[in-house]
């Protein structure tokens, strides 16, 4: 409970602060409070994951501090929105990319997620990405679009390619996260609100998948094949949630991709939109593979036992709500232009 409250405190401090030192302090509180949650199981892989996480986040935090100090040295401004010095902006982009796990600073993220328990993995993929995304949102007007576009396309490409050969579900979700970050980064110089919308919907769909995996206690593809007998209804909904995360219409995941492609076309970046759309097809392959293993493959089982259609778990209501929202939010696209 204490670490969870510290996480909330760190996130709140970062997203509400105007001063760079406060934002940096929030990031540090976040890092220190998630470390015990990663290393909780005392397994060597968990300890290794915690060490890797600490080293990358400490480096990224130092770079954030360095870029803000350089900016303050040249402009006399500590305000987050007044990031006007070019070199500081480039260093800041690299630091936040390292915090988020974007290419070329992505190597730590799949390893850390693989070494963490499922619920900690969910926190790492969702809440822990909010403060860096908020910093990107606040400084979006002064970031370099070329650098962000390049990193975004590389993230979408590597997230798709590296996920193809994985059998561990947590690693597949880590590479899925990297490719989604590409979609968020490519649009942030042009429409920051669209990035936030993409992030919120990504959090919703990923939470649904992580919570489902936690309920049926599945960690790799081979055990996912036998999970159908545990909760058939939940596995059927998992199929739709995975397809939504892949971005197939008429599911929720299509909404941010559609709006981002539309915005990129308005900015005369149609070739970029085509490239990133084609790269997302790589991700579609491993989502389909997960969906195929979860629902279409029936294991050979000889035992005749009752199927468990109802799962009495404390998180059942949360899973139900997040899955329904992950599948059925496309009609709100008519409201989006008024929000943006």
């Amino acid at each position: 409970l204490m670490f969870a409250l510290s996480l909330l405190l760190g996130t709140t401090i970062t997203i509400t602060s105007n001063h760079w030192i406060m934002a940096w302090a929030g990031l540090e509180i976040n890092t220190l409070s998630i470390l015990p949650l990663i290393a909780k199981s005392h397994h060597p892989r968990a300890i290794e994951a915690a060490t890797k996480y600490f080293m990358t986040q400490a480096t990224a935090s130092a770079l954030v501090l360095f870029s803000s100090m350089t900016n303050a040295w040249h402009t006399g401004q500590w305000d987050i929105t007044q990031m006007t010095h070019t070199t500081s902006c480039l260093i800041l982009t690299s630091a936040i990319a390292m915090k988020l796990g974007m290419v070329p600073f992505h190597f730590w993220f799949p390893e850390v997620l693989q070494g963490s328990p499922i619920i900690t993995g969910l926190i790492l993929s969702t809440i822990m990405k909010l403060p860096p995304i908020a910093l990107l949102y606040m400084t979006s007007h002064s970031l370099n679009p070329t650098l962000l576009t390049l990193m975004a396309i590389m993230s979408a490409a590597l997230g798709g390619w590296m996920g193809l050969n994985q059998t561990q579900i947590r690693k597949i979700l880590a590479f899925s996260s990297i490719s989604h970050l590409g979609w968020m980064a490519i649009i942030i110089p042009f429409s920051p609100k669209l990035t936030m919308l993409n992030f919120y919907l990504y959090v919703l769909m990923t939470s649904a998948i992580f919570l489902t995996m936690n309920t049926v206690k599945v960690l790799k593809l081979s055990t996912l094949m036998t999970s159908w007998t545990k909760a058939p209804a939940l596995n059927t909904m998992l199929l739709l949630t995975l397809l939504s995360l892949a971005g197939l219409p008429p599911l929720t995941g299509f909404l941010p991709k559609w709006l981002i492609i539309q915005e990129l076309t308005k900015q005369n970046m149609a070739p970029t939109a085509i490239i990133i759309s084609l790269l997302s097809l790589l991700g579609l392959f491993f989502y389909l593979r997960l969906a195929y293993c979860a629902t279409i493959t029936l294991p050979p089982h000889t035992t005749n036992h009752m199927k468990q259609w109802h799962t009495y778990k404390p998180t059942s209501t949360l899973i139900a709500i997040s899955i329904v929202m992950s599948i059925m939010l496309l009609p709100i696209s008519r409201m989006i232009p008024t929000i943006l």
Side-chain angles (χ1 to χ4, degrees), residues 161-176:
W161 266 316
M162 303 277 281
L164 293 179
N165 206 24
Q166 301 297 333
T167 55
Q168 297 287 340
I169 292 173
R170 281 170 296 183
K171 276 197 174 176
I172 290 176
L173 289 171
F175 288 117
S176 144

Side-chain angles (χ1 to χ4, degrees), residues 10-83:
T11 305
T12 312
I13 287 174
T14 303
I15 62 179
T16 54
S17 59
N18 283 322
H19 197 285
W20 273 113
I21 298 292
M22 285 297 287
W24 171 81
L27 291 171
E28 287 299 302
I29 292 170
N30 256 5
T31 303
L32 293 174
S33 53
I34 194 77
L35 286 172
L37 297 179
I38 298 173
K40 192 169 63 173
S41 65
H42 299 296
H43 188 274
R45 175 157 280 189
I47 304 297
E48 182 191 339
T51 312
K52 283 178 179 172
Y53 185 78
F54 173 72
M55 289 173 77
T56 47
Q57 297 300 309
T59 311
S61 291
L63 281 173
V64 167
L65 203 54
F66 177 63
S67 67
S68 55
M69 283 172 67
T70 315
N71 186 63
W73 180 271
H74 284 276
T75 62
Q77 282 286 350
W78 280 101
D79 197 315
I80 294 179
T81 51
Q82 303 296 318
M83 196 78 172

Side-chain angles (χ1 to χ4, degrees), residues 87-281:
T87 315
S88 302
C89 288
L90 292 175
I91 298 169
L92 179 73
T93 309
S94 308
I96 292 181
M98 198 181 290
K99 280 257 172 218
L100 289 168
M102 277 173 66
V103 176
F105 309 105
H106 65 287
F107 297 102
W108 64 272
F109 189 54
E111 298 298 324
V112 169
L113 216 61
Q114 179 59 31
S116 311
I118 284 198
I119 296 300
T120 310
L122 169 62
I123 293 169
L124 281 170
S125 301
T126 55
I127 300 169
M128 294 302 287
K129 291 198 186 307
L130 181 56
I133 290 269
L135 288 178
L136 269 184
Y137 178 82
M138 286 189 274
T139 56
S140 58
H141 55 276
S142 48
L143 298 175
N144 185 342
T146 315
L147 177 65
L148 280 168
T149 304
L150 193 64
M151 286 167 89
I153 286 175
M154 287 198 302
S155 295
L158 248 94
W161 266 316
M162 303 277 281
L164 293 179
N165 206 24
Q166 301 297 333
T167 55
Q168 297 287 340
I169 292 173
R170 281 170 296 183
K171 276 197 174 176
I172 290 176
L173 289 171
F175 288 117
S176 144
S177 177
I178 291 168
S179 66
H180 274 86
L181 282 170
W183 281 89
M184 290 175 218
I186 202 162
I187 201 65
I188 202 155
F190 311 111
S191 177
K193 286 183 180 175
L194 210 46
T195 297
M196 296 313 288
L197 174 75
N198 193 347
F199 177 70
Y200 297 143
L201 292 178
Y202 162 74
V203 166
L204 185 70
M205 294 181 285
T206 306
S207 303
I209 289 171
F210 268 105
L211 290 169
T212 304
M213 297 300 178
N214 188 50
T215 304
V216 294
K217 296 287 176 279
V218 164
L219 293 175
K220 49 184 189 284
L221 285 179
S222 54
T223 48
L224 184 63
M225 288 181 189
T226 59
S227 70
W228 188 83
T229 52
K230 290 181 187 172
L234 194 57
N235 266 34
T236 310
M237 299 313 282
L238 177 64
L239 163 75
L240 291 171
T241 314
L242 283 163
L243 294 179
S244 180
L245 196 59
L248 286 185
L251 304 168
T252 306
F254 177 61
L255 174 62
K257 285 186 167 60
W258 173 27
L259 293 172
I260 287 171
I261 290 168
Q262 198 176 340
E263 185 61 36
L264 285 172
T265 314
K266 282 180 193 167
Q267 300 290 340
N268 295 323
M269 291 175 71
T272 315
I274 291 167
I275 290 167
I276 201 163
S277 307
L278 290 173
L279 289 172
S280 70
L281 291 176

